[in-house]
Amino acid sequence: MSIRRLRSNPKTLGNVNMVTEELKNLYYKRLLPIEKYYSFHHFHSPSYEDADFDNKPMVLVMGQYSTGKTTFIRYLIEQDFPGSRVGPEPTTDCFSALMYGEPEGIIPGNALTVDPKKPFRNLDPFGNSFLNRFQCVQMPNPVLKSISIIDTPGILTAAKRKLSRGYDFPAVLRWFAERVDRIILLFDAHKLEFSDELTRAFGALSGYEDKLRVVLNKVDRVDSQQLMRVYGALMWSLGKVFQTPEILRVYIGSFWSEPRQMCDHYQLIELEEEDLLADIRNLPRNAAVRKLNDLVKRARLVRAHAHIISYLKQEMPTIFCKESKKHNLIYQLPVIFTKIQQQYRVPAGDFPDCTKMQEKLLGQDFSKFKTLKPSLMASLDKLLTTDIANLVPLLQKQELRKKSLPGVLDGDFLGTFRPEHYKRDPFKELPRDDESSEADFVEWVVEKYKPKYDEIFYNLSPSEGKLSGTKVKEWMTTTLLPNSVLAHIWRLSDVDGDGMLDNEEFALAVHLIEGKLEGHWLPRELPSHLVPPSKRLSTASEDE
């Protein structure tokens, strides 16, 4: 139950920054000139900027309304965030980017598009209809030091499909899907429904299935037989939508930090929760690999795009019948794709969606297209064959040192100790007068509750005055709090770090559990007034 903290290694961090900087240089030197020459941005996604390489890993949380998106985010950061509201009805129509920063506040969408330090400048083409519903919530939360989280509006059900959002919702989702590191798609175990907008949202995620994690939420409120049926129905529906040979991983859980209902599959919920949190915790460590993978994927699409544009340019007549030839070429685009694959040995998987490409071509002037430029294509081939290969050794060194890299810490998912919560926080630090002595703070706030805590302690049959971690865990799990929350309480309570709890440490653990059950935030670190009296001298000497 103890939590191992991860500490950064300067040399390793240097390798990570080196990989990111080299990726940035390769993009600007080799890929961006080709994108501009063949007008790649008019057909596909906008160009990358510095912020796209330098930004923290991002997690996109999406799903139909009332599936628990906002509650899931609160579970990760263990606090409310400005603008959040939880309810069974659609509670928000905004995209909210939760990012680390001080002071706490909200930055509107139009301001974000002109901030070069934020990776949102290329959202400007979606217009005011979208930007008025986009905001950045800036918070000094420890989790957000390692990752950023994007909260999305609830996907509309069939009953509300006639409502218009005023902007291209699937296109916005695809823009984020291309840039984020992980996509969390939530479903409610009580109301599994696939609406038209949900199906269109799936289409926006096409090609990014490797980033997708599906979560069946609120499963502690259904019995095992119902869970089996709902899980099977979800897998069948996902198999129809995502036409891939691989089966998507579906996590089950009840992702909030309050006590769960006891059920036959309670242990399975805990195991699934740990798997998903471990996946999210690894995002900061694997950020460079993801950026390299996305750059290679983009480069291969650029290569296919260059061949398509060049072929269309060569087939266009010089003077007469330009318009009729243009429409004929657009109609024959599937055949043209096949010819390019055979002539230049470009894999079929590198080509864009044919139907969408045809739609884009209708509004283009083919006479302005460019033919293949050998120097640019040679530069692109060098990027894919040599330059990327030279980065692999650096990434392998990073993989070997993975445990030394900074990640999202277990404890950081569970609590933050902030001044604005003092008025409702029973764990708050007591104010000290500069002239007061240590004697004024001898009283331990847990002392008045200790007799009832001691009764529990001695009923658990301590050995030599201490309870083992196994015995404490068995008792703690009866509170039905998530294992991740109990692990944080254990870390706070095992003050001397010996892997066991004496009667004072156990009393502290029960006190923290009771506070959590009453709905209070846990302190991130143990305040001095909660340190057991017998441990105060040892902790003070350690601080010195």
Side-chain angles (χ1 to χ4, degrees):
M1 295 197 35
S2 60
I3 293 177
R4 180 174 57 190
R5 289 186 167 273
L6 302 170
R7 297 183 180 179
S8 60
N9 182 313
K11 187 176 179 181
T12 306
L13 285 177
N15 286 339
V16 175
N17 293 334
M18 191 185 303
V19 172
T20 303
E21 286 299 316
E22 187 60 26
L23 285 174
K24 191 190 305 183
N25 292 335
L26 289 175
Y27 175 74
Y28 289 134
K29 179 182 177 181
R30 302 213 183 276
L31 198 54
L32 185 58
I34 306 173
E35 292 182 5
K36 290 180 176 179
Y37 189 76
Y38 293 105
S39 303
F40 178 82
H41 313 128
H42 293 171
F43 296 88
H44 306 287
S45 58
S47 60
Y48 286 166
E49 296 187 345
D50 285 353
D52 293 305
F53 292 96
D54 301 332
N55 199 57
K56 300 180 183 72
M58 291 194 290
V59 178
L60 180 70
V61 182
M62 56 181 290
Q64 292 176 308
Y65 72 86
S66 192
T67 53
K69 297 185 300 300
T70 302
T71 304
F72 177 80
I73 294 172
R74 287 168 55 184
Y75 171 68
L76 294 184
I77 66 175
E78 186 63 16
Q79 72 172 90
D80 290 315
F81 56 92
S84 67
R85 191 164 68 87
V86 176
E89 77 287 358
T91 53
T92 178
D93 64 346
C94 285
F95 282 80
S96 297
L98 278 66
M99 307 185 79
Y100 184 83
E102 294 182 359
E104 184 175 296
I106 295 177
I107 305 172
N110 282 288
L112 288 172
T113 60
V114 295
D115 186 352
K117 294 182 180 179
K118 297 285 193 299
F120 306 120
R121 284 161 59 92
N122 289 321
L123 283 168
D124 190 64
F126 291 107
N128 283 328
S129 296
F130 166 71
L131 295 177
N132 290 336
R133 294 174 176 83
F134 178 52
Q135 61 185 15
C136 175
V137 178
Q138 195 169 262
M139 304 167 61
N141 182 282
V143 173
L144 300 179
K145 285 184 178 180
S146 300
I147 61 173
S148 299
I149 304 173
I150 313 295
D151 189 14
T152 62
I155 296 172
L156 301 176
T157 59
K160 298 180 179 293
R161 64 187 176 186
K162 293 182 181 180
L163 298 177
S164 174
R165 295 184 182 273
Y167 59 91
D168 191 341
F169 182 66
V172 174
L173 287 179
R174 186 165 186 83
W175 188 95
F176 278 108
E178 182 183 353
R179 288 160 174 79
V180 300
D181 296 71
R182 190 66 75 235
I183 304 168
I184 307 293
L185 178 59
L186 289 157
F187 288 93
D188 189 334
H190 292 85
K191 51 172 189 176
L192 199 60
E193 180 182 5
F194 277 59
S195 63
D196 292 345
E197 187 172 61
L198 182 61
T199 304
R200 290 194 296 271
F202 286 151
L205 303 181
S206 177
Y208 303 103
E209 290 85 358
D210 58 318
K211 300 179 181 181
L212 183 61
R213 302 292 183 270
V214 180
V215 177
L216 185 60
N217 201 16
K218 307 180 184 180
V219 299
D220 61 330
R221 285 160 172 72
V222 298
D223 60 37
S224 296
Q225 186 180 27
Q226 291 170 326
L227 174 61
M228 181 181 66
R229 290 174 177 171
V230 172
Y231 187 90
L234 177 60
M235 294 296 291
W236 181 79
S237 300
L238 291 173
K240 288 178 62 180
V241 174
F242 292 102
Q243 301 294 330
T244 57
E246 301 85 7
I247 299 175
L248 287 172
R249 167 72 187 270
V250 176
Y251 297 84
I252 68 166
S254 183
F255 289 93
W256 65 339
S257 59
E258 305 305 320
R260 301 189 179 107
Q261 293 186 12
M262 180 53 74
C263 54
D264 294 339
H265 45 274
Y266 187 86
Q267 288 186 330
L268 180 60
I269 291 175
E270 294 288 0
L271 293 172
E272 292 282 285
E273 172 201 346
E274 285 303 314
D275 282 355
L276 183 60
L277 292 187
D279 184 68
I280 296 174
R281 280 195 289 269
N282 285 331
L283 292 180
R285 307 174 194 173
N286 300 330
V289 179
R290 195 273 302 172
K291 290 170 184 173
L292 183 143
N293 182 64
D294 284 354
L295 185 66
V296 172
K297 189 185 297 185
R298 187 181 180 94
R300 295 171 74 95
L301 178 60
V302 169
R303 180 177 62 182
H305 174 80
H307 283 297
I308 295 167
I309 295 300
S310 173
Y311 186 95
L312 295 175
K313 173 66 174 179
Q314 290 176 345
E315 294 297 312
M316 283 296 289
T318 308
I319 301 175
F320 301 107
C321 304
K322 288 186 177 182
E323 198 63 26
S324 61
K325 184 62 174 178
K326 170 184 170 180
H327 285 86
N328 189 38
L329 287 171
I330 293 175
Y331 178 76
Q332 293 181 344
L333 196 61
V335 178
I336 293 173
F337 279 14
T338 304
K339 288 181 179 179
I340 294 173
Q341 291 172 34
Q342 295 172 349
Q343 183 176 352
Y344 297 100
R345 296 184 179 180
V346 179
D350 292 356
F351 284 80
D353 181 90
C354 188
T355 304
K356 292 181 179 178
M357 189 68 179
Q358 287 172 321
E359 293 174 358
K360 294 281 187 181
L361 287 169
L362 285 171
Q364 299 295 321
D365 183 357
F366 285 19
S367 63
K368 294 182 178 179
F369 288 174
K370 307 289 181 63
T371 56
L372 282 182
K373 191 173 183 180
S375 60
L376 287 178
M377 299 309 293
S379 179
L380 180 56
D381 288 339
K382 187 174 187 297
L383 169 68
L384 290 170
T385 57
T386 306
D387 296 329
I388 295 297
N390 290 338
L391 288 179
V392 173
L394 283 178
L395 287 174
Q396 290 174 339
K397 289 179 182 178
Q398 174 186 333
E399 188 69 21
L400 291 173
R401 296 189 179 104
K402 178 179 276 191
K403 292 183 179 180
S404 299
L405 288 171
V408 179
L409 307 179
D410 293 34
D412 285 345
F413 275 108
L414 311 169
T416 180
F417 194 50
R418 294 150 50 83
E420 52 266 42
H421 295 145
Y422 283 1
K423 59 188 177 190
R424 52 164 295 209
D425 196 332
F427 308 127
K428 76 173 185 178
E429 184 79 61
L430 297 175
R432 292 196 176 196
D433 187 355
D434 291 341
E435 298 179 358
S436 62
S437 63
E438 286 293 326
D440 296 330
F441 297 92
V442 171
E443 182 182 359
W444 186 35
V445 296
V446 184
E447 189 67 45
K448 59 182 177 181
Y449 308 105
K450 196 168 180 295
K452 67 173 183 178
Y453 299 157
D454 282 346
E455 185 177 348
I456 303 172
F457 178 80
Y458 290 108
N459 283 337
L460 294 174
S461 304
S463 175
E464 298 181 358
K466 291 191 174 185
L467 287 173
S468 67
T470 303
K471 285 187 176 181
V472 175
K473 181 179 180 180
E474 288 176 357
W475 178 84
M476 285 176 122
T477 53
T478 64
T479 64
L480 300 185
L481 285 169
N483 275 350
S484 51
V485 175
L486 297 178
H488 184 53
I489 291 173
W490 171 272
R491 182 178 69 82
L492 294 173
S493 305
D494 187 14
V495 180
D496 54 15
D498 64 351
M500 306 178 75
L501 299 186
D502 60 24
N503 63 341
E504 288 185 341
E505 292 173 322
F506 182 79
L508 171 61
V510 182
H511 183 68
L512 293 171
I513 287 173
E514 288 186 347
K516 182 61 189 171
L517 290 173
E518 292 173 3
H520 301 291
W521 302 123
L522 291 171
R524 184 166 180 256
E525 299 295 341
L526 191 65
S528 58
H529 71 284
L530 285 180
V531 176
S534 63
K535 304 293 189 295
R536 290 183 181 180
L537 289 176
S538 59
T539 53
S541 60
E542 287 174 6
D543 293 339
E544 292 175 2

